[in-house]
Amino acid sequence: MTVWTRQQVQDAAPDAASLKAAATLATPAPWSQTGSTEALVWGRCQGSGGSPYQVSVDLHGPAYRCSCPSRKTPCKHALALLLLWSDGSLGADAPIPEQAAGLTAPEATRSAPAAPPDPEAQARRAQQRLATMDAGVADLRLWLTDLARGGLAEARGHGGRWWSDQAARLVDAQTPGLADRVRRLGPALEARPDWATHLLDELGRLWTLTGAWLRREALDADSRADLRVALGWPIPSAEVLRTPALDGTWQVLGAHRDLEGDYQQQRTWYLAPDGAVDVVFESGGRGQALGVPQLAGAVVTGRGHRYPGHPPRRLLFDGTPSPSATAPAWPGGSIAAARKAASDALGVSPWRDVFPVLLTGVTFDAGRVVDADGDAWPLATGTDEVRLLALTGGHPCTAFGELEAGQLRVLTLVVEGEVIGL
Amino acid sequence: MSASDVAGWLAALEASALVGTRRRPPPALPAIGLGPASEADPAEQLLDQAGLAAALRRAGGPASRGAAPAAAAPEALPEAPAAAAQLLMLLLDQPPVEDAARNSLIVAWLWRAARSGVRAPHATLPALLEIARGDADVAGILPRVWGTRGTWLQGHVDAPLGAPGAEPALDRSAMALPERVAELAFLRRFDPPAGLQRLEADWDGLAARERAGLIRELVAGLSSADESFLEAALDDKAKTVRGAAADLLRRLPGSAFATRMGRRLRGALVVERHPGAAPSIELREPEELDDDAARDGLTDAAEILDAIVAAAPLEVWREGTGLPIFQIAAVVPERFLGPLTAAAQAQADRPFAEALYRRAPDDHLLPLLSDDSLTEAIVPLLNPHHPRARTAGATIAHAPRPWPLRLATSVLSTLHGYDDPLRYFRQQVGPLLLEGLPVSALGAARRTADSTFGTASYRRSLLHAIQHLTFVQSIEEAFS
């Protein structure tokens, strides 16, 4: 079948809004595994959801299929796919996005404010916020000691409201980071067989975190920045962009999306030009679109700024990084070395949840990742181990993942030179 | 300080935490060189210790040990071409066809891959294995294209394919009949000797009803390897079991049972030749039955000849009459047409089936006809003036699918009419289109869809069939 003209694609659109939405998606960035035959055009489009939408168009008919929830036929994904096909940009793998949407925080892309902010008013607002936060933290510590006196078993008997009420108080106290930690406790009590150990650990971590906050004046600037972020007071990107820049090529190691609950998060891990591992962190409410995820193994050239704090550090790109032809490198190590690095980071910020881990020569077996030395880590709950086995066949491979609570969540595999994002 | 000190402390800490410091104070902290002051409020002490414990559990603690599994052998087959692999992933993740049709497309993909001598991509194996567990057609072809990785993966999944037969259940005597039937049917499909072995092992402990129910399952993968078991079953106490065994043995024209029946047929056949006219065939009732007759099920005097005809090898007719097949079919007495048709079916004998169909069109013979004969048998019925036009739809339902191209295009042009001249035809044939239309009929199907009026359900069937064929065609393209 001859390739459709742009006009034909436009004629297929159910309305102007769909076409407009499709036009923004008609770049190679969110697309993977695209292809076409005489009768069929297909591809995967990464939407805001966890797994990409599967799109296919049967050209005779024509019949449109897409796994997105849209009721429009064809939906914007199908139209975007046809636009790409019509432009002749289909089929070629497009691991490097042209538009790295979502990499840049909104504040950073905005032009500079017309008038400089009033420094005095700013300081006053900061003082007010600190006072609110301090009060919230003190209230949380009282709540924690009450809980410790009554016992975990008694706490477990409280309904879900009891936890969410405390979380709501922490939101009021402008400490959403703490609120999020408390909110997650309630459901975990029902779901986890090891609920008592888990709850005790989490309470201990909250206690350490809040204790450190109250002593923040005695801590160094990086630790104070870590604390501020952990409590949920984001550092404005304008401020971050004033920190020293790091120019060079950045390689996407892997990405994790957490879409559970009312709060979505996306972490994209980069191997920085200086060999450190940094993370671009995005979050939003339910239904809010996160940035287009980067494909593991992509290499971009750009200017990055690191947020203050201890490594692994949060990253902000100044502008849109451009695709680079540099081949990705995977300088992984052993489990023992990664464990040491994670322990060191934990020694500095004991409330840290997630550590990036790049391992070489590992295999998977019986729910564990095993390296050449015979050291092992359990795989994160919910890991599709059969998939890992199918992809690796028991041969040593390179794996990138996140270490969280002693378990490894594998995000990327490198098998015989092929990079596979999971 | 030893690891057991820490473990003891962690256990004591959790015990205090569970009941609360009001009831049980926190334990003493082991000497690990750091730690909070102990004179604080007990609740605060407990929380201090909990913070320490959390950090220890995350950062410290002995690493667990493991060993790499034995790795999969290198692949001997190349991977399917990229476009074909993408189509398979599309089918697995978000099929562009109705769900019911998806598995048949997966099967089509797998067969096409087998034909090309390539294998499924490693990433698709988990989903394929999952589907194969519930779909015998997928399970049947998958091992041919899963490569060494698939074989290896089988050893690493909780429920490998073929699990029903892999390990005998601990207490087989407690298994219900449907469970046993499912197990045996599965085994017979993929490993007929193993199925027979399982049945033989269980046989003596089974009730008559179970024996009869299970022995019928040997029909899948039936071969001469099953003969001695079936022959022995002719001595079973239960009539239902004996009948089922005889029914299977007549499908094996080389079996001793069929040979005995052939000998009896030979004795009964009488051919009379009439100069200038067609010969005639008669069958005479045997004057006395041989010793094995009762054991072979020949007990009802009125039906002895029918039973012999239905079970004797067809070769005996050729040898015994010296007549060509078309003539045998033309002159065999009418009352034996039914048993002879049954014999042709059981022995899957195409020449006999075609000759018998010309004599008396029995729909059950359609699966045995050649493409040309099948087309010639059905196309005339599509004429509204044909005396059997009313039943054309029912007849087509018996034809093997996909149909030969000429039959398919004739069906499509019949569907093309405005007024459904054959009444009910669309209703009967619509659901068959998906499997009935061959890929080569795709163009004709599209033209029909463009210009056909009809009920919504019929149009839907036609469009689904077209969608399906389009995908099959895409698979074909992607592999070539």
Side-chain angles (χ1 to χ4, degrees):
Chain A
M1 188 142 193
T2 45
V3 175
W4 289 10
T5 62
R6 213 172 169 85
Q7 187 59 48
Q8 276 177 292
V9 181
Q10 285 167 0
D11 291 346
D15 51 45
S18 297
L19 196 61
K20 199 173 161 205
T24 62
L25 277 174
T27 72
W31 292 92
S32 61
Q33 296 191 17
T34 56
S36 64
T37 62
E38 274 286 289
L40 205 64
V41 183
W42 64 85
R44 288 162 172 249
C45 182
Q46 184 63 58
S48 55
S51 51
Y53 295 129
Q54 276 278 15
V55 194
S56 66
V57 180
D58 175 350
L59 298 167
H60 305 284
Y64 308 91
R65 288 258 170 176
C66 182
S67 54
C68 79
S70 167
R71 288 205 196 132
K72 286 186 182 166
T73 311
C75 68
K76 60 183 178 182
H77 305 106
L79 286 171
L81 179 68
L82 287 174
L83 285 172
L84 281 173
W85 176 61
S86 156
D87 290 349
S89 16
L90 210 63
D93 278 338
I96 298 163
E98 287 174 350
Q99 289 294 322
L103 285 183
T104 329
E107 297 95 321
T109 52
R110 273 208 302 264
S111 52
D118 172 4
E120 269 182 39
Q122 234 175 3
R124 210 165 43 240
R125 279 199 300 276
Q127 278 311 317
Q128 276 167 359
R129 172 156 189 167
L130 279 173
T132 312
M133 289 170 77
D134 282 347
V137 165
D139 173 62
L140 173 65
R141 284 174 72 83
L142 267 180
W143 182 80
L144 287 170
T145 47
D146 280 350
L147 200 162
R149 279 185 203 103
L152 305 183
E154 185 183 285
R156 196 189 187 209
H158 297 303
R161 276 289 297 277
W162 191 72
W163 305 92
S164 53
D165 282 352
Q166 177 58 36
R169 284 200 291 279
L170 289 165
V171 171
D172 292 344
Q174 294 189 287
T175 54
L178 295 176
D180 194 44
R181 282 171 188 264
V182 170
R183 192 181 300 113
R184 285 169 190 255
L185 291 177
L189 296 187
E190 299 304 319
R192 300 177 62 126
D194 63 340
W195 67 270
T197 312
H198 172 74
L199 180 57
L200 182 59
D201 274 6
E202 291 306 313
L203 298 179
R205 282 149 57 79
L206 275 169
W207 184 253
T208 311
L209 174 55
T210 50
W213 173 256
L214 296 179
R215 302 197 313 112
R216 62 186 177 276
E217 296 307 334
L219 300 176
D220 60 66
D222 281 338
S223 294
R224 282 204 300 275
D226 285 345
L227 281 168
R228 175 175 167 167
V229 170
L231 263 64
W233 186 5
I235 297 164
S237 37
E239 208 171 291
V240 180
L241 288 173
R242 285 198 290 272
T243 63
L246 188 54
D247 290 309
T249 55
W250 305 76
Q251 175 189 334
V252 180
L253 292 171
H256 174 65
R257 306 190 126 210
D258 181 359
L259 302 177
E260 279 174 32
D262 295 331
Y263 188 62
Q264 313 182 66
Q265 302 183 359
Q266 174 171 282
R267 293 185 289 268
T268 310
W269 298 94
Y270 283 86
L271 183 60
D274 60 3
V277 176
D278 298 323
V279 61
V280 169
F281 184 81
E282 293 165 274
S283 60
R286 188 200 290 274
Q288 227 170 314
L290 299 179
V292 176
Q294 298 291 296
L295 297 178
V299 180
V300 293
T301 306
R303 165 168 290 191
H305 295 267
R306 287 177 174 136
Y307 282 72
H310 289 104
R313 284 168 69 176
R314 190 174 167 189
L315 177 68
L316 179 67
F317 280 110
D318 185 1
T320 305
S322 53
S324 158
T326 314
W330 301 90
S334 67
I335 287 182
R339 209 167 137 259
K340 168 83 169 57
S343 296
D344 289 348
L346 206 57
V348 178
S349 311
W351 47 84
R352 259 267 151 78
D353 288 315
V354 180
F355 302 92
V357 169
L358 182 57
L359 303 169
T360 47
V362 291
T363 52
F364 303 97
D365 188 37
R368 287 179 304 182
V369 55
V370 185
D371 72 4
D373 301 330
D375 284 328
W377 261 324
L379 294 169
T381 314
T383 297
D384 184 353
E385 199 190 345
V386 177
R387 185 162 179 221
L388 296 179
L389 291 171
L391 290 169
T392 61
H395 296 283
C397 67
T398 295
F400 174 78
E402 294 176 341
L403 183 67
E404 184 168 10
Q407 298 185 330
L408 184 70
R409 179 187 302 117
V410 183
L411 301 179
T412 306
L413 286 182
V414 187
V415 181
E416 290 169 15
E418 192 192 347
V419 182
I420 305 156
L422 300 172
Chain B
M1 185 207 54
S2 72
S4 66
D5 289 345
V6 174
W9 163 62
L10 288 174
L13 176 63
E14 192 166 313
S16 297
L18 266 174
V19 297
T21 52
R22 264 202 300 266
R23 295 188 191 82
R24 185 189 291 206
L29 197 62
I32 54 174
L34 67 135
S38 59
E39 59 268 16
D41 164 41
E44 293 186 5
Q45 275 187 54
L46 182 115
L47 288 164
D48 279 339
Q49 292 192 20
L52 189 58
L56 265 183
R57 256 195 280 263
R58 279 164 192 254
S64 70
R65 301 285 296 172
E75 293 288 1
L77 300 175
E79 186 176 307
Q86 286 163 9
L87 285 179
L88 178 60
M89 285 176 202
L90 198 62
L91 281 174
L92 294 172
D93 295 345
Q94 207 263 319
V97 293
E98 295 292 294
D99 283 354
R102 178 186 76 153
N103 284 15
S104 79
L105 285 173
I106 290 175
V107 170
W109 191 100
L110 296 171
W111 277 106
R112 188 63 184 77
R115 200 142 51 82
S116 296
V118 297
R119 60 174 174 79
H122 293 156
T124 61
L125 293 177
L128 286 172
L129 281 172
E130 190 61 43
I131 292 170
R133 260 174 228 128
D135 187 307
D137 290 327
V138 176
I141 176 66
L142 183 56
R144 285 182 51 188
V145 295
W146 70 19
T148 53
R149 184 65 53 90
T151 315
W152 177 86
L153 193 60
Q154 277 282 81
H156 288 84
V157 296
D158 290 340
L161 203 54
E167 285 298 319
L170 289 177
D171 184 9
R172 296 189 56 78
S173 62
M175 280 174 75
L177 180 57
E179 213 179 325
R180 288 178 188 278
V181 166
E183 180 199 64
L184 183 58
F186 190 94
L187 276 178
R188 286 296 290 187
R189 212 180 145 101
F190 301 114
D191 189 358
L196 177 64
Q197 238 171 24
R198 179 66 45 82
L199 183 60
E200 281 178 316
D202 291 348
W203 192 249
D204 292 338
L206 298 173
R209 186 179 62 89
E210 293 174 313
R211 293 200 303 278
L214 286 168
I215 199 171
R216 288 191 188 103
E217 295 301 324
L218 296 183
V219 71
L222 185 71
S223 76
S224 56
D226 304 310
E227 188 193 340
S228 58
F229 175 78
L230 293 170
E231 181 72 31
L234 291 174
D235 295 317
D236 200 276
K237 285 176 289 193
K239 189 181 174 190
T240 47
V241 177
R242 296 196 301 271
D247 186 57
L248 290 172
L249 284 167
R250 68 188 185 85
R251 294 161 197 260
L252 299 170
S255 66
F257 170 84
T259 308
R260 293 196 293 276
M261 287 299 198
R263 206 168 51 228
R264 291 166 193 138
L265 175 64
R266 181 75 73 98
L269 271 180
V270 180
V271 183
E272 288 180 12
R273 293 171 196 276
H274 313 287
S280 62
I281 298 177
E282 286 301 323
L283 277 88
R284 277 201 208 113
E285 299 276 346
E287 286 170 16
E288 63 179 289
L289 286 167
D290 54 280
D291 296 345
D292 290 328
R295 183 171 173 270
D296 288 346
L298 302 178
T299 48
D300 185 345
E303 287 176 10
I304 282 177
L305 277 178
D306 301 60
I308 291 173
V309 170
L314 290 162
E315 190 53 34
V316 173
W317 289 86
R318 277 178 282 235
E319 285 174 9
T321 63
L323 297 174
I325 293 171
F326 79 91
Q327 213 158 39
I328 297 170
V331 303
V332 74
E334 186 156 4
R335 68 163 276 218
F336 295 115
L337 278 176
L340 196 54
T341 295
Q345 269 184 279
Q347 295 169 41
D349 189 309
R350 172 173 291 173
F352 259 97
E354 298 207 325
L356 285 166
Y357 192 85
R358 273 197 291 277
R359 166 91 184 268
D362 183 327
D363 288 347
H364 293 100
L365 289 170
L366 291 175
L368 290 173
L369 302 190
S370 69
D371 282 0
D372 283 346
S373 307
L374 184 70
T375 306
E376 280 159 30
I378 296 179
V379 168
L381 310 187
L382 302 178
N383 178 342
H385 304 297
H386 192 281
R388 288 171 55 213
R390 283 290 168 103
T391 56
T395 296
I396 290 175
H398 280 90
R401 299 187 282 272
W403 304 317
L405 177 60
R406 199 152 61 83
L407 174 56
T409 48
S410 299
V411 168
L412 285 169
S413 38
T414 308
L415 292 171
H416 185 282
Y418 288 90
D419 49 355
D420 196 358
L422 303 182
R423 231 177 142 194
Y424 310 131
F425 185 74
R426 284 181 174 155
Q427 209 175 319
Q428 287 171 318
V429 172
L432 306 176
L433 289 172
L434 187 70
E435 291 180 357
L437 295 179
V439 179
S440 49
L442 185 54
R446 287 200 184 115
R447 284 191 295 279
T448 307
D450 287 343
S451 58
T452 304
F453 300 90
T455 62
S457 79
Y458 150 69
R459 276 193 66 80
R460 212 168 33 241
S461 298
L462 185 58
L463 290 175
H464 284 168
I466 289 172
Q467 221 167 38
H468 184 86
L469 291 180
T470 302
F471 206 97
V472 172
Q473 198 186 40
S474 296
I475 291 174
E476 196 59 40
E477 265 183 54
F479 272 102
S480 52

